[in-house]
Amino acid sequence: MNSDKLKYIFLLILITIFFVLFYGNIPYKQHPYSIWDLNNYIKMANCSPKISTQIERPFTYRILGPYAAGLLPFSVANSFKILSILTAIALVIVFFLFLRSNGINSFLSFFTVFLFIANRHLFGSNMWNYFQLNDIISQFLIVLFFWAMIKQKFLTMTILLAIGAMTRETWILVGLAFFIFLLEKKMWGKYWKKFLLAIIPASLIFFAIRIFVPYNGGIGLYEAFSTYYTKFFKLEIILRLLAHPFIPLTLFPLIFWKDTVKFFRKNIFALVFILAVLFSTGFGVNNERLMQPVFIIFFWLIAIILQKHFSSNFATDRIFRISILLCALISSLHHTIGYFTLPSRNYTIIMELGSFSIVGIIGIYKLLSEKYSRQIKLT
């Protein structure tokens, strides 16, 4: 690994530690947080290494994070925090290396991962509510899996899917992306056996957990979808799914739509993965958090757009990059999440709308200026 990569990795580690402090800690003993999902994970950790019989579905099936936390020689809260920080550091490092391996230069790989770290919904909320350790582990596994899939490392994919089956149900969506990838790249005939060998261990673990791990109440997948599927018919929730998690960069894929279309034409599996994640939100209530697996596709696309349109050394591009980063930092502020909180929800909305608008204007200006420059050259 060259010194350039090491420099950016070191900076990302420092930035991650800063944002861990910036996002603060959830007051998990206070209402209403004390009755959130984290209560089940704390019980699971307290029972580790034994299996608790008092956990609701589906939380009782997500065993990896809580039971790993319970094995550490610290308090449960500190164990979750330590593992969350370590996993987050590993996540940002592999995400940086993933982008580099897919043709993004070192600086913009660093810059894009910085934008991801500053995203409150896709990264920050997991640092604040560190009991959602499985979410961070899943993000880490997703990056490794997509990287291994592109490089055709089938044994690695098998191991990652098996581990994923012990964290969250997201492994099913990743497996679907794997299937589409093989079809898209015309490799199904050659590798279908390896696909099955990769899927079978994860499937066995998935079903074994649901057969042998006890539960106390809660709802299954069918009941969950029957309860929450109506969200797809509500405009406000659709916007919260498709727009809110990605502020302030939400409009970039639309503004630079030609780059977006080109990306998905080359990576149909990525589009299927997004649609699968969107469908999976019908099984739960926390909309922004349920969209977290999409982070890898969204920021991969953002990195491509930045490299094509904002990578020159001209003063304007430098100003644009700084402005985008500042907007990302502004939108990370919140009235409940974070060490420094805003006075009220209205301030959060103002910050989000302001940063969203500024980045959108930057994107439109850049696109129009490029179009104008081409017209000048033609004349």
Side-chain angles (χ1 to χ4, degrees):
M1 189 178 295
N2 60 42
S3 59
D4 191 44
K5 286 184 180 178
L6 287 174
K7 175 185 70 175
Y8 285 119
I9 287 174
F10 178 71
L11 287 174
L12 284 173
I13 292 173
L14 293 180
I15 291 167
T16 303
I17 293 172
F18 168 80
F19 271 93
V20 166
L21 299 174
F22 173 78
Y23 286 122
N25 302 312
I26 185 172
Y28 65 94
K29 293 182 180 180
Q30 298 178 14
H31 187 82
Y33 311 117
S34 59
I35 60 173
W36 279 15
D37 301 354
L38 61 85
N39 189 47
N40 285 289
Y41 296 135
I42 291 172
K43 289 179 181 178
M44 292 168 71
N46 282 327
C47 194
S48 178
K50 297 179 180 179
I51 302 294
S52 175
T53 60
Q54 302 300 315
I55 310 300
E56 298 177 351
R57 293 184 295 175
F59 315 110
T60 189
Y61 303 138
R62 300 167 183 171
I63 63 176
L64 183 59
Y67 283 100
L71 294 175
L72 294 185
F74 311 108
S75 69
V76 166
N78 286 337
S79 296
F80 272 103
K81 188 70 175 181
I82 291 168
L83 289 177
S84 294
I85 294 171
L86 293 176
T87 309
I89 291 172
L91 167 61
V92 300
I93 292 172
V94 298
F95 196 15
F96 168 81
L97 295 174
F98 170 82
L99 293 175
R100 283 291 294 114
S101 72
N102 282 281
I104 308 300
N105 67 51
S106 292
F107 171 72
L108 286 176
S109 293
F110 161 79
F111 186 80
T112 303
V113 177
F114 195 159
L115 294 176
F116 165 62
I117 296 170
N119 185 292
R120 186 180 71 250
H121 298 292
L122 303 180
F123 182 85
S125 62
N126 289 335
M127 292 296 94
W128 176 68
N129 184 3
Y130 46 88
F131 296 100
Q132 294 288 358
L133 174 60
N134 279 332
D135 287 22
I136 313 171
I137 295 174
S138 291
Q139 289 180 312
F140 174 67
L141 295 175
I142 287 170
V143 177
L144 287 179
F145 184 88
F146 274 76
W147 195 358
M149 183 176 69
I150 293 170
K151 298 296 183 182
Q152 299 175 35
K153 305 292 185 181
F154 292 99
L155 178 58
T156 302
M157 286 188 281
T158 301
I159 295 170
L160 293 172
L161 285 175
I163 297 172
M166 294 184 284
T167 54
R168 292 187 64 87
E169 296 78 5
T170 310
W171 79 272
I172 300 173
L173 312 180
V174 173
L176 174 61
F178 182 21
F179 173 69
I180 300 300
F181 176 83
L182 292 177
L183 293 179
E184 176 189 356
K185 307 303 179 184
K186 296 180 172 57
M187 295 190 295
W188 176 255
K190 184 178 180 181
Y191 293 122
W192 68 270
K193 290 182 180 178
K194 290 189 176 182
F195 171 79
L196 292 179
L197 289 174
I199 292 295
I200 288 173
S203 300
L204 291 175
I205 292 171
F206 178 79
F207 288 110
I209 289 174
R210 277 150 183 78
I211 292 171
F212 296 110
V213 174
Y215 63 88
N216 181 28
I219 57 176
L221 291 176
Y222 176 77
E223 295 115 321
F225 191 76
S226 299
T227 302
Y228 300 118
Y229 80 95
T230 56
K231 69 170 62 178
F232 297 125
F233 304 100
K234 299 176 181 178
L235 179 60
E236 178 187 353
I237 296 181
I238 293 296
L239 290 175
R240 289 184 63 181
L241 290 170
L242 297 178
H244 200 211
F246 311 108
I247 288 175
L249 297 160
T250 306
L251 292 178
F252 261 37
L254 297 177
I255 294 169
F256 300 98
W257 64 270
K258 290 183 179 180
D259 301 287
T260 302
V261 170
K262 182 179 179 181
F263 173 79
F264 285 118
R265 279 180 176 172
K266 290 176 58 179
N267 303 285
I268 297 173
F269 71 91
L271 179 60
V272 171
F273 181 69
I274 291 175
L275 294 175
V277 172
L278 183 62
F279 176 77
S280 73
T281 64
F283 294 90
V285 66
N286 194 329
N287 298 303
E288 288 84 356
R289 188 167 68 82
L290 291 170
M291 288 296 289
Q292 283 183 3
V294 172
F295 84 96
I296 184 171
I297 307 300
F298 181 80
F299 283 100
W300 183 7
L301 175 57
I302 291 299
I304 291 171
I305 292 172
L306 290 172
Q307 181 154 284
K308 182 177 178 180
H309 300 281
F310 295 87
S311 61
S312 76
N313 289 321
F314 295 139
T316 51
D317 276 5
R318 290 178 176 176
I319 292 171
F320 286 153
R321 289 196 298 264
I322 293 171
S323 299
I324 291 169
L325 184 57
L326 289 175
C327 286
L329 295 173
I330 289 170
S331 65
S332 68
L333 298 171
H334 195 259
H335 57 285
T336 58
I337 295 174
Y339 188 80
F340 301 101
T341 56
L342 297 173
S344 69
R345 183 172 179 269
N346 289 336
Y347 284 87
T348 300
I349 294 172
I350 292 170
M351 294 294 186
E352 289 183 336
L353 289 178
S355 60
F356 169 87
S357 302
I358 292 171
V359 172
I361 291 170
I362 289 172
I364 293 170
Y365 177 86
K366 184 65 176 177
L367 190 67
L368 293 177
S369 63
E370 288 176 349
K371 184 177 180 180
Y372 178 74
S373 297
R374 286 194 297 268
Q375 290 175 344
I376 293 294
K377 289 179 181 179
L378 290 174
T379 57

